[in-house]
């Protein structure tokens, strides 16, 4: 079989490598890989800025946004040959910490977790891969062309769960949500917002290409004006920040209506310093009983929530979210930015 590999810490090491077919244990699923999605984390690993190889070697099979079809399922696994599945990314730490011990390894407290395709475990960027049944989530058959969106949708599902749990500390009946950023995370956040019956607004800097139409076809409102102006006009009860851009993060912190919730999902680059009025930010958050929460990755529950959300979404809309499909034989092209890219996917069987 062929797999997409990289040497973490070494820029330019992306390679399609021939590897032996995997042999599942008597309790693992054998899955034929159909597709992997490419995201910012993958680009960081390919650029040599992130990632850890499995112990004992210097290379890693890339890919954490997975989609595959079961080729072998052990008796009692709950899966059947032909099932469409995605693999959960994170695994609990071996200690384990309290969160991992309670199955919430997405909230690991000591950082000793591992992650498929990112940290010390081979990913799903292979034509065949194995996964334990408890870390596989089934998708509806009609999602074959779009099921690779499961992992980013699980991150968004967790973000919405966090917003609702934080808001639920008191009476909470939000009406308007502002999503900053119309990348895959932002657009999926908007999708789940419309599925909740909210008045959804999306802010992005581009005014052409597929993004405005994708937002409008959700029944949401697309904005390109200055962030502070949009925030003032919308007066959202919830902000889901999906860019990591420092100016948008700061504007979001004090941008909600009273008793609002801001969920930060974008990862900001370190090292850039800007001057801020910290006192005013603190005053605003405290006096309005606002809350700010960070959210990243997901556990099995969030993958199942994502599967439900995708199953009820307009499949044609989801297909338009995937703006470029690249064969495995030309995988390096998936990491080259092109105009109008939203989600880029690598076809593992070509």
């Amino acid at each position: 079989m062929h797999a997409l590999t990289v040497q973490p810490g070494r820029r330019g090491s992306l390679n399609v490598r021939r590897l032996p077919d995997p042999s599942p244990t008597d309790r693992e699923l054998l899955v034929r890989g159909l597709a992997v999605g490419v995201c910012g984390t993958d680009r960081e690993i390919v650029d040599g800025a992130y990632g850890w190889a499995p112990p004992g070697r210097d290379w890693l099979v890339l890919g954490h946004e997975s989609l595959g079809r079961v080729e072998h399922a052990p008796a009692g696994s709950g899966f059947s040959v032909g099932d469409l599945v995605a693999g959960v990314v994170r695994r609990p730490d071996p200690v384990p910490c309290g969160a991992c011990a309670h199955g919430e390894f997405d909230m690991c407290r000591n950082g000793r977790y591992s992650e498929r395709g990112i940290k010390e475990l081979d990913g799903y960027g292979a034509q065949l891969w194995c996964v334990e049944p408890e870390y596989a989530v089934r998708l509806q058959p009609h999602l074959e062309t779009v099921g690779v969106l499961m992992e980013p949708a699980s991150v968004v599902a967790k973000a919405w769960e966090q917003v609702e749990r934080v808001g639920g500390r008191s009476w909470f009946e939000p009406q308007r949500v502002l999503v900053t950023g119309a990348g895959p995370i932002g657009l999926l956040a908007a999708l789940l917002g419309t599925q909740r019956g909210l008045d959804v607004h999306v802010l992005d800097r581009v005014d052409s290409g597929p993004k405005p139409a994708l937002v409008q076809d959700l029944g949401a409102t697309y904005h390109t004006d200055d962030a502070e102006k949009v925030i003032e006009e919308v007066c959202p009860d919830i902000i889901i920040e999906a860019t990591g851009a420092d100016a948008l993060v700061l504007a979001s912190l004090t941008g909600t209506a009273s008793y609002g919730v801001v969920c930060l999902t974008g990862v900001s680059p370190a090292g850039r310093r800007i001057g801020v009025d910290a006192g005013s930010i603190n005053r605003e958050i405290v006096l309005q009983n606002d809350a700010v929460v960070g959210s990243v990755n997901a556990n099995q529950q969030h993958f199942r929530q994502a599967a439900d959300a995708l199953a009820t979404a307009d499949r044609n809309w989801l297909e338009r979210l995937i703006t470029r499909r690249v064969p495995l034989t030309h995988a390096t092209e998936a990491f080259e930015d092109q105009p109008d890219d939203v989600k880029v996917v690598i076809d593992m069987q070509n």
Side-chain angles (χ1 to χ4, degrees):
M1 70 163 189
H2 289 91
L4 189 63
T5 67
V6 66
Q7 292 177 267
R10 181 182 166 193
R11 184 182 177 90
S13 62
L14 185 69
N15 182 41
V16 177
R17 183 187 300 239
R18 187 168 185 85
L19 297 174
D21 289 354
S23 299
T25 68
D26 58 5
R27 59 177 304 274
E28 286 183 319
L29 305 177
L30 178 64
V31 180
R32 180 162 297 279
L34 300 178
V36 292
V38 175
C39 76
T41 299
D42 298 306
R43 290 188 171 91
E44 283 190 82
I45 296 172
V46 169
D47 286 342
Y50 198 65
W52 296 262
R57 68 171 198 247
D58 65 353
W59 56 272
L60 169 77
V61 175
L62 197 62
H64 61 279
E65 297 184 3
S66 65
L67 178 68
R69 190 175 298 284
V70 175
E71 293 227 329
H72 168 75
S77 67
F79 291 88
S80 301
V81 173
D83 282 348
L84 202 62
V85 296
V88 176
V89 179
R90 183 170 286 197
R91 300 292 184 273
D93 71 75
V95 175
C97 71
C100 289
H102 287 82
E104 295 186 344
F105 45 82
D106 56 308
M107 296 295 200
C108 181
R109 300 292 301 278
N110 62 20
R112 294 182 61 182
Y113 60 84
S114 53
E115 291 178 318
R116 298 281 301 253
I118 301 173
K119 185 173 186 276
E120 300 176 341
L121 291 175
D122 281 333
Y124 300 111
Q127 293 178 314
L128 288 168
W129 41 268
C130 298
V131 65
E132 307 93 321
E134 61 268 30
Y135 292 109
V137 178
R138 185 184 292 104
L139 293 90
Q140 293 294 323
H142 75 277
L143 295 175
E144 181 173 354
T145 59
V146 296
V148 72
L149 297 172
M150 266 280 280
E151 193 278 338
S154 75
V155 172
V156 169
K158 176 184 173 179
W160 272 107
E161 178 193 78
Q162 293 296 305
V163 166
E164 291 162 349
R165 291 176 71 175
V166 170
R169 71 195 192 277
S170 185
W171 177 82
F172 190 55
E173 194 173 87
Q175 297 180 2
R176 294 174 302 282
V177 57
L178 174 65
V179 178
T180 55
I185 294 293
L187 289 168
L188 288 168
L191 168 67
L192 269 67
T194 60
Q195 289 180 338
R196 285 163 166 77
L198 297 174
D199 178 14
V200 176
H201 296 256
V202 178
L203 171 64
D204 199 275
R205 61 186 178 183
V206 304
D207 57 8
S208 60
K211 293 180 178 181
L214 282 164
V215 170
Q216 291 160 8
D217 289 348
L218 285 175
T221 305
Y222 190 81
H223 301 267
T224 58
D225 289 334
D226 175 77
E228 292 187 358
K229 177 182 178 182
V230 172
I231 287 171
E232 183 178 356
E233 290 177 352
V234 175
C235 193
D237 303 300
I238 298 165
I239 295 179
I240 296 183
E241 207 299 302
T243 69
D246 47 18
L248 283 174
V249 171
L250 288 171
S252 298
L253 294 181
T254 57
T256 64
S258 293
Y259 192 66
V261 180
V262 176
C263 183
L264 305 177
T265 67
V267 179
S268 305
R272 182 176 179 185
R273 295 178 181 272
I274 59 174
V276 299
D277 184 349
S280 292
I281 292 173
N282 177 74
R283 180 181 178 86
E284 187 88 3
I285 292 173
V286 171
L287 293 182
Q288 293 197 4
N289 292 293
D290 292 338
V292 180
V293 61
S295 182
V296 70
N297 63 68
N299 63 37
Q300 295 101 318
Q301 172 180 298
H302 308 121
F303 271 78
R304 288 190 287 268
Q305 292 169 354
D308 290 341
L310 294 180
T312 58
D314 181 341
R315 190 180 67 182
N316 290 331
W317 185 89
L318 294 173
E319 287 175 347
R320 290 164 53 205
L321 201 64
I322 301 173
T323 47
R324 193 155 54 98
R325 297 179 186 267
V326 177
L328 178 61
T329 52
H330 294 77
T332 56
E333 296 177 7
F335 296 87
E336 299 169 358
D337 289 335
Q338 293 189 10
D340 297 337
D341 273 348
V342 178
K343 170 56 68 178
V344 180
V345 169
I346 299 174
D347 182 347
M348 297 305 301
Q349 295 300 313
N350 289 318

